[in-house]
Structures are given as C-alpha cells and as structure tokens.
Amino acid sequence: MIDQIYSIACDFGSSGGKIFLSKFENDKMTLEEVHRFSLTPIKVNNYYYTDFIYMYNELLKGIKKVVDMGVQPSSLGINSWGVDYGYIDKNGELLSNPINYRDTRTIDTIKKLEKIGLGAKELYDITGISCMPFNSIMQIYEDIQGRADIVNNASKLLFTPDLFGYFLTGNASSEFTIASTSQLVDVNKREWSEEILNKINFSIDKLPTLNEPGTKKGVLKKEIADYLGCQPFDVIAVASHDTASAVLSAPITDDKTAYLSSGSWSLLGVELNRPILTEEAFENGFTNEMGYDNTIRFLENINGLWTIQLLQKKYQISFNDMEKLARDNIKDSHRIDIIDNRFYNPKDIEDEILSYYKDTNQPSVSKDQRGIIIASVYNSLAESYAKYISSLKKLLNKDIKTLCIVGGGTRDKLICELTKEKTGLEVSVGPIECTATGNILAQFKALGILKDTKEMRNLVINSFEIKKI
C-alpha cells in the first residue's frame, strides 16, 4: 500500500488563481483549496498587462500555507490559460510583465500575416490550430513590429506556466499542451515550425526545449525551499494548458463521449489519437490542441460564461438572481452570436447585446428587460453547443452519445439543463475543479502512483461526485 502522498496544484486563470493541496490515500484523492487570489489585467499606457510578479508572490503564499499545515509536498504542478508568455533576458531576468491576451492590439494581425504567406489556412495546415486574434503568433508578430527592443534583448520566450517553472527551478523548458496554443508547433512533426518562425523572423533559439506532459521540470531551488520552510520537491510539467488538465480529469469512458470544459471559455470537443486537418474541420472552426499522452484535443473555442459574467458585473446582482431572471424568460426568442468578436471584450456588454439585436432585426428590448437579455445569452450558448456537437458527428462520421461537462460552469444548473435539452445527449457533470484535478493526476502518474489515463479517470470517478442530469 502506498503511504500518503501530497501534491500541490497551482491553477491560474486569467481572472484569478487557486492553490490546491491533494492527498492520495486508500486509492482516493482529496482536493483542498488552501489559497486563492483575484487577477485583473492592468492598463498601462498602450497595453493591458498581466501582473506576473504579483502572481508569483501569491504562488509562494499558497505553498507557504501548505508548509505551515505541517505538510512536506512531494511535487508541484502549474497550469494556466494558454497563449500568453513573457521574455527573460540573458541573465535570466523578466524583461516585462506579459501583455494579457484580452488586449486588443492583435485584432487585425491576421491580415498582416496573410501578406507574408501565413493566412489562416496555411497556419492550420501546419499547426492544426484555428486562428484566434489572441494566439501567441499574433502577439509575437506585434512584439516584433512594435516592441523590437524587448524581443531583441530576450534570451527565451516562456509561456505562463513555464515562467513559473523557470523561476522555481532555474530550468527553461516548455510542455507540449501549452506550447501548442501558440500556433507555432508543427502538429505532425511535434516540434517548433521553422517555416513559420522564418516567415515571421523570430529566432528558434529564443524558444525553449519541448517536453511531454508528465515529465519532471526540475527541483525547487534550495533558497526558495529554505524561505518556505520545507525540503526541495519535484516540479512536474503537468498538462499545463488548463484545458488539457481539464480534459484529463473528464470521466471519458469511450470514444462516443465528448467533453465540455465550462468556464469563462467553453471548450467543446473530443479526444483523438491524431489531428484532423481537413478543409471541413478548418471551415467549422475546430482546432487541434495537443493533449496528455500524445492525444489531440479536437475542439471548438467558444466565448462561454464570460458574457454571463460581464452581465453579472454590469447588473451587480448574484448569479442566482441572474439564473432566475433567465429562467423566467427562457422561452423568449432573442439570440446573439456568442462567438462574435463584438462580445470578446466589449466596453459595455449590455449595450453591445442590444446593438446586436438591432443590427440583426430582432424586436427591440429596453434596458430594464434584463431577463430577456440574460436568457438570450443562455439560449445562444446552449444552442452553440448543439451546433458544434452536430458538426463533430459529421466530421468524425460517428455518433456521440454522452457529454461530460467539467469545470466551474457545472455550478450553473440552468446552462447544464439547457445543454442537455439542446444537444439531446446523456450528460454527466463534474468534477468542478477539473483543471486542478487533472494537474494532480499528471503528478501522481509522474510519481508512479498511477500507471495510465484509464487509472487516472477511474480515480476521478472514485474520488468525486459525478452527477447525471
């Protein structure tokens, strides 16, 4: 029997971070939140920045809380949202806080890339990744054009989880699942695409070595361990893109099951052994992100509960009240295109939705008809899920019978119910903290506790409540 094993999951989202302690004992895992903090992009002059130094300090606070509980961790893993990165110089110092992916500097960058032979289809054929305005390649190209001094002085570009790993261990490397979101990795060769890098004039020497998820990134620096009051422990390169960790935690039991990672973004797709790079897949907006154990996360990025969250902030009412207003108006016919760029980062979400109604010749709605506005977002989101499930069935040429919904969106009963109704699928819900769970699973595998993905997902089923709706 394996003794108690303790691992730490650092789960960073673009709106905040959470540090979890997990214990493996008696063939079950526990997950305890020990620290959390909020995070808001900061506008300084021309750009929205992510405060990395603040995040790093909060990470150390979280580890210290674990140590103060009398726990010596065996390992730690870090996951975050994709595409964002920072530069370190030849001395290993951070050159600048990372620019946040919701900055609007890259909205039209694809038009610039088209002029150098890197249109959306060319990029898709190489990387399998759909063009989104925030993809790393778009950001890097804007850096080359407008922040050349920083690029020229950079020794390495490191994605968000890799930055943390570097400062904790001193080792610079990148793990495949986070790197694949950059739109710089050749999905078939599983290496940085020299063709793309040459066209954008970015040196491959500035990119780190690529590693498989589940490999050891390094050992916590002794001076950091001494500061925290613990012994050095392993830092594991988990499936460090948050969606990759979320999918790893999804209780997928067969190849007729799709997943939906439901949060600010909705990631809807299936797990495959190889990418699908057909014209039909490209036209339908599906992307091929790299997953755990050489899998492909064939999925659609959908602007998920972000719009609901913006409305909640606008109206200053509880999510429960939001849900009640939506239920009272759920039969209303108003709809929005949930993936329209106008809802990506609007100045005023309510004004944008009302403007959309007008632009699409829908009946006018006044600002005091909040229930109709909220209901239209719920209905539009659930109907978008149904649309992409239908597309998946056609692209895969097979049936999909079950949908596993994981993530914070599982707390929203209405969207789960609507998803079941609109898709007509059997729906399971949970785990809620899916990214942290997947993060820990990869650590347990690296520590030799679990042998394969099947054991990982069985551990999830045995350890957490998975509901059928």
Side-chain angles (χ1 to χ4, degrees), residues 51-103:
D51 192 344
F52 176 81
I53 302 301
Y54 162 71
M55 292 173 67
Y56 180 79
N57 188 50
E58 293 299 319
L59 183 155
L60 295 182
K61 285 182 183 179
I63 301 173
K64 187 67 168 66
K65 287 184 178 180
V66 170
V67 173
D68 288 346
M69 294 164 63
V71 172
Q72 169 60 45
S74 296
S75 64
L76 175 145
I78 302 156
N79 64 258
S80 84
W81 69 98
V83 307
D84 284 358
Y85 55 85
Y87 295 105
I88 56 175
D89 66 14
K90 63 182 180 180
N91 298 315
E93 301 298 336
L94 186 66
L95 278 166
S96 167
N97 262 320
I99 294 181
N100 188 271
Y101 77 97
R102 288 201 182 270
D103 189 275

Side-chain angles (χ1 to χ4, degrees), residues 97-113:
N97 262 320
I99 294 181
N100 188 271
Y101 77 97
R102 288 201 182 270
D103 189 275
T104 57
R105 67 184 176 135
T106 56
I107 288 294
D108 294 319
T109 305
I110 185 58
K111 296 178 182 177
K112 299 177 184 179
L113 292 178

Side-chain angles (χ1 to χ4, degrees), residues 436-451:
T437 301
N439 180 320
I440 294 294
L441 291 174
Q443 293 184 62
F444 285 171
K445 170 67 165 56
L447 295 171
I449 297 171
L450 303 170
K451 67 180 182 181

